[in-house]
Amino acid sequence: MEIQDILHDVYEEMKPHIGEGKVADYIPALARVDPQKFGMAVVTVDGQVHVAGDAAEPFSIQSISKAFTLTLALGRVGSGLWSRVGREPSGTAFNSIVQLEHEHGIPRNPFINAGAIVIADVLLAGHKPRETLGEILQFVRYLSGDDTVYMDDDVAKSEQATGFRNAALANYMRSFGNIHNPVEMTLGVYYHQCSIAMSCVQLARAGLFLANGGRDPISAQTVVGRERARRINALMLTCGHYDASGDFAYRVGLPGKSGVGGGILVIAPGKASIAVWSPGLNANGNSAAGTRALELFAKKTGWSVFG
Ligand code: GLU
């Protein structure tokens, strides 16, 4: 069966489930998003683009940005990064603070909020926040091959105004010496990276290098080496869905990174990069209908990293 036909079937089967879950309301700008939105895009390693539903509409990628900033930070400091952030699944909520005390301010992995705040701090070193934001945005535009990708200042400001828990995490890590820049600056970078708005098509396109051993098959540019691409995928599989990472691996069987905007980026190595968007979240803060759609899609295609 052709991928476009599979996608069409998934979309039809998903229709009764669209609107499931609860839109994130702890960030006021996200609470206003229409819960009935649903989009999906598949970009294959041979450059075909398949779409369903609201695949061309930009949404707040939120924590999906953490996959891109991790890639940048590894490029900047290489394996030295692992002295400041771990590589283990957390088993706790995305914004949990308890583990940090036991582990002396070293976050479990780069995808929980604390870990991503450390990564933002790494990217900020030696730069002004504006320069770091420019670097992140330029990288995401380059990966998606689309200069219209933007940061949504309203979303960033909205999160900044209400991000008390992230501020607590950052200050706490600073007390252990694991945040090097002024906390407000590091958080400013973090909130703005989370505010990047992209469509499913742009997002799937941006993740394609991870499906193709680190080399973007469309631009023919090497973004990272094969080993690094493999390792980023490994982290997405084990940590990309917070305390539901095991469940996502069980149900979908592919590396993925979710965001509280309701998006999920999934990598099918050697095959395709897939993005889905449905704003309603499940209890773990991951897109409810999005996860269900990916589960269906993986089942119909037979794609899985587990054979
Ligand atoms: N900006 C969100 C936060 O810090 C990201 C969380 C997510 O997307 O999972 O709370």
Side-chain angles (χ1 to χ4, degrees):
M1 209 171 166
E2 295 292 323
I3 291 178
Q4 185 59 53
D5 297 332
I6 293 178
L7 198 52
H8 176 266
D9 287 358
V10 169
Y11 186 43
E12 288 305 313
E13 284 180 50
M14 281 309 299
K15 279 185 178 161
H17 299 287
I18 292 175
E20 266 178 9
K22 197 168 161 292
V23 173
D25 54 8
Y26 74 101
I27 301 174
L30 294 185
R32 296 193 284 269
V33 177
D34 178 0
Q36 294 301 322
K37 294 285 180 187
F38 179 91
M40 197 162 171
V42 179
V43 181
T44 58
V45 291
D46 58 6
Q48 295 176 49
V49 181
H50 305 282
V51 297
D54 304 307
E57 188 168 327
F59 61 91
S60 192
I61 69 166
Q62 292 294 316
S63 285
I64 303 171
S65 63
K66 297 172 183 174
F68 303 126
T69 52
L70 169 65
T71 306
L72 274 178
L74 284 169
R76 180 80 69 84
V77 297
S79 55
L81 187 66
W82 306 122
S83 63
R84 293 182 60 187
V85 58
R87 301 191 295 257
E88 290 295 337
S90 64
T92 54
F94 67 100
N95 55 6
S96 168
I97 201 162
V98 283
Q99 228 162 34
L100 272 181
E101 178 160 26
H102 292 297
E103 298 177 1
H104 311 291
I106 308 287
R108 272 283 173 101
N109 67 64
F111 293 149
I112 51 173
N113 285 12
I117 292 168
V118 168
I119 302 273
D121 194 65
V122 167
L123 293 178
L124 187 53
H127 294 86
K128 296 196 172 69
R130 199 164 19 90
E131 294 164 348
T132 303
L133 291 176
E135 183 190 4
I136 295 170
L137 188 58
Q138 201 183 345
F139 184 55
V140 176
R141 285 178 171 170
Y142 157 74
L143 291 177
S144 58
D146 192 334
D147 280 348
T148 67
V149 174
Y150 64 99
M151 287 177 176
D152 186 332
D153 211 40
D154 286 345
V155 172
K157 287 212 175 82
S158 177
E159 191 170 359
Q160 197 131 26
T162 54
F164 307 111
R165 195 181 278 241
N166 286 324
L169 291 168
N171 278 294
Y172 198 58
M173 290 191 291
R174 175 128 191 173
S175 77
F176 285 101
N178 200 19
I179 293 293
H180 299 172
N181 298 285
V183 163
E184 319 73 62
M185 284 191 188
T186 298
L187 284 175
V189 170
Y190 173 72
Y191 293 138
H192 279 86
Q193 76 172 66
C194 288
S195 81
I196 293 175
M198 292 171 91
S199 68
C200 288
V201 173
Q202 291 167 330
L203 191 57
R205 173 73 187 82
L208 194 58
F209 74 102
L210 291 172
N212 193 52
R215 184 174 159 276
D216 180 345
I218 296 176
S219 69
Q221 304 223 26
T222 298
V223 181
V224 296
R226 181 171 290 278
E227 183 177 64
R228 182 161 293 165
R230 222 179 246 153
R231 288 173 164 175
I232 295 169
N233 287 339
L235 288 165
M236 284 171 67
L237 184 84
T238 52
C239 313
H241 280 73
Y242 311 120
D243 43 343
S245 298
D247 188 58
F248 189 83
Y250 180 84
R251 289 172 62 186
V252 180
L254 295 167
K257 182 70 208 85
S258 66
V260 287
I264 304 177
L265 171 66
V266 160
I267 305 302
K271 298 197 163 58
S273 170
I274 305 147
V276 64
W277 171 48
S278 173
L281 307 179
N282 61 25
N284 300 100
N286 302 311
S287 174
T291 307
R292 198 192 279 271
L294 289 165
E295 188 176 12
L296 266 176
F297 183 80
K299 193 170 173 186
K300 288 179 191 290
T301 52
W303 293 352
S304 167
V305 293
F306 299 107

